[in-house]
Amino acid sequence: MTASTKRWLILLAGLVANLCQGVAYTSSIFMLPLGEVMQRPAETWAREWGIIFAMTLAFLPVGMLLSGKLADLGYTRFTIGLGALFFGGGLLMVGRGGSVAYIACTLGLMTSVGSGFAYGTIIGACVRWFPDRRGLASGLAVAAVGVGPIVLAPIASRLTAAYGVLHMFTILGVATLILMGLAALCVSNPPAGYVPAGWTPPAPAAGAVGPTRENLNWKAMLGRPRFWLLYVTYFCGVFAGILVNGLAAPIAIELANFTRNQATGAVMLFALCSAGGRVLWGFLSDKFGRIFMIGLAFILTAAAMFVLHGHVGTPGVLMPCIAMAGLCYGGIFGTFPSLSAESFGVKNAAVNLAVLFTSFSLVAVLAPQVWRITAPAGRKNIQKRFWWQDALQPWASSCR
């Protein structure tokens, strides 16, 4: 097998493994059934579920950091396999049922850490195999996570209806273990100094500030002003997307008078545009530059939020704004892995990306607080408590 063919097969295996991780983002499908099985009051469970869901995001960098050094040393199969064990095992263990603390440890902590193990390793391998198309490769790899909810949500819904929510977790856990385990056997790093046939690495312009040929470790990276600029940019770039992703359904129901099915469509629209944005922005960033495309994402996001602020209850405005927020949110995800590798080198790409990715965890923790503080008065009860309490409540109300 030629190196050219092998790298595309490795990318395909990485896409499969990342798609499996989309299970964590189909929460609207199994949140209510799981609460009913656990016999939790709707409002109490909404609050508890919000904490669990936040955990699925907050611990991703932990797995990326723990696996990063191993992946950078070449142990890609081991780290992805470990990620499969944590992620699939976490889902499998949820199927046994248990207390809220048990669900938080398995569905929240284990799957988040496991996803970090696999996700960071796969992204690092992809940017190494595709130095000529880093934006496209990393965009496709991260897009698979965004496509996951679109593919897996109907599967999870049917399994829950047919077998119950606990058996659904068991089935998905076993399937995830198998698929991610097989993917782990296929992914590896390229030989040192790998260059695709027919491609010549571009020489950086003299005195230019930007991509570097240095391979910095995370300690040296922290000493570069460029890292902190990218850190703040990443933080700001995903903030609006996380807010819209978490509140799309309740806003559609509460303020635009959507039905539950229509609100689900709003969530799916965000997921679809997020997945498409990861590929589109990654591809275009290869042509027009990473910084230019990130700046474009900021401008389009700001425009969408400005329009949404005054017309949030208008369906004809709400849906395009959700789509644009998803597109730009995905674009940030599709661009930053390549930008990180080009800025700090590919040798320690997995660890460096994990450190940069901690900004995403900060957003996952802080975004709900910002919504609580800044939500306009008079919008029913959404502004009275943390958003995860009321944001999920319409789902419970519609099923009574």
Side-chain angles (χ1 to χ4, degrees):
M1 182 186 300
T2 65
S4 178
T5 302
K6 182 178 181 179
R7 68 175 186 163
W8 287 103
L9 291 177
I10 287 175
L11 177 60
L12 179 61
L15 296 182
V16 171
N18 280 355
L19 188 145
C20 291
Q21 297 170 52
V23 172
Y25 300 97
T26 60
S27 60
S28 61
I29 301 299
F30 49 74
M31 185 270 286
L32 290 176
L34 187 59
E36 292 170 357
V37 168
M38 298 179 65
Q39 299 181 346
R40 306 296 293 174
E43 185 171 342
T44 301
W45 176 239
R47 182 173 60 255
E48 294 166 344
W49 179 259
I51 297 173
I52 294 171
F53 181 73
M55 290 176 66
T56 66
L57 300 177
F59 287 94
L60 279 169
V62 175
M64 295 174 69
L65 286 168
L66 291 174
S67 65
K69 189 61 178 179
L70 291 174
D72 288 337
L73 290 174
Y75 298 102
T76 55
R77 293 171 181 168
F78 174 77
T79 53
I80 297 174
L82 196 59
L85 184 62
F86 271 84
F87 189 86
L91 294 176
L92 187 62
M93 292 172 68
V94 175
R96 297 182 58 187
S99 64
V100 173
Y102 176 82
I103 299 299
C105 289
T106 53
L107 184 59
L109 179 61
M110 283 187 64
T111 62
S112 184
V113 172
S115 183
F117 266 98
Y119 179 84
T121 305
I122 290 167
I123 297 298
C126 288
V127 298
R128 289 186 178 95
W129 275 106
F130 289 85
D132 54 335
R133 300 178 180 178
R134 283 199 181 106
L136 177 61
S138 63
L140 287 170
V142 298
V145 181
V147 171
I150 302 171
V151 175
L152 296 171
I155 296 175
S157 180
R158 290 189 176 94
L159 288 174
T160 300
Y163 304 107
V165 67
L166 295 182
H167 284 93
M168 181 273 294
F169 276 112
T170 300
I171 295 171
L172 288 184
V174 172
T176 299
L177 274 170
I178 294 173
L179 290 175
M180 291 183 68
L182 291 175
L185 297 176
C186 301
V187 180
S188 62
N189 285 336
Y194 169 75
V195 175
W199 180 74
T200 302
V209 177
T212 178
R213 301 243 178 150
E214 296 180 89
N215 286 302
L216 305 178
N217 59 31
W218 68 271
K219 294 180 181 179
M221 180 182 67
L222 292 178
R224 297 295 177 92
R226 184 176 179 84
F227 167 78
W228 295 106
L229 177 61
L230 293 182
Y231 195 89
V232 173
T233 303
Y234 206 168
F235 179 93
C236 297
V238 299
F239 211 109
I242 288 181
L243 284 175
V244 173
N245 186 30
L247 294 169
I251 286 177
I253 294 173
E254 291 276 346
L255 305 179
N257 297 318
F258 278 31
T259 65
R260 181 181 177 186
N261 287 337
Q262 290 172 330
T264 301
V267 175
M268 300 299 282
L269 175 65
F270 181 91
L272 180 63
C273 291
S274 174
R278 298 172 196 226
V279 179
L280 179 63
W281 249 252
F283 172 76
L284 293 178
S285 70
D286 286 334
K287 295 183 176 296
F288 301 107
R290 319 293 181 204
I291 301 299
F292 174 81
M293 293 306 300
I294 290 173
L296 181 61
F298 269 81
I299 293 172
L300 294 176
T301 300
M305 295 301 99
F306 179 80
V307 173
L308 188 63
H309 176 73
H311 303 85
V312 67
T314 306
V317 175
L318 176 64
M319 296 299 276
C321 288
I322 287 176
M324 183 58 67
L327 191 69
C328 296
Y329 175 75
I332 295 294
F333 270 99
T335 306
F336 261 85
S338 300
L339 183 57
S340 174
E342 291 173 348
S343 298
F344 311 115
V346 298
K347 181 179 179 181
N348 305 298
V351 173
N352 291 345
L353 180 60
V355 175
L356 182 61
F357 201 74
T358 57
S359 61
F360 177 82
S361 293
L362 289 178
V363 176
V365 174
L366 295 177
Q369 310 300 324
V370 172
W371 171 260
R372 178 180 66 88
I373 294 171
T374 62
R379 291 187 175 179
K380 296 191 177 182
N381 294 321
I382 293 179
Q383 78 281 3
K384 292 184 179 179
R385 298 193 297 273
F386 291 100
W387 72 264
W388 55 66
Q389 294 178 257
D390 289 300
L392 300 175
Q393 185 61 31
W395 294 93
S397 301
S398 63
C399 294
R400 289 175 183 169

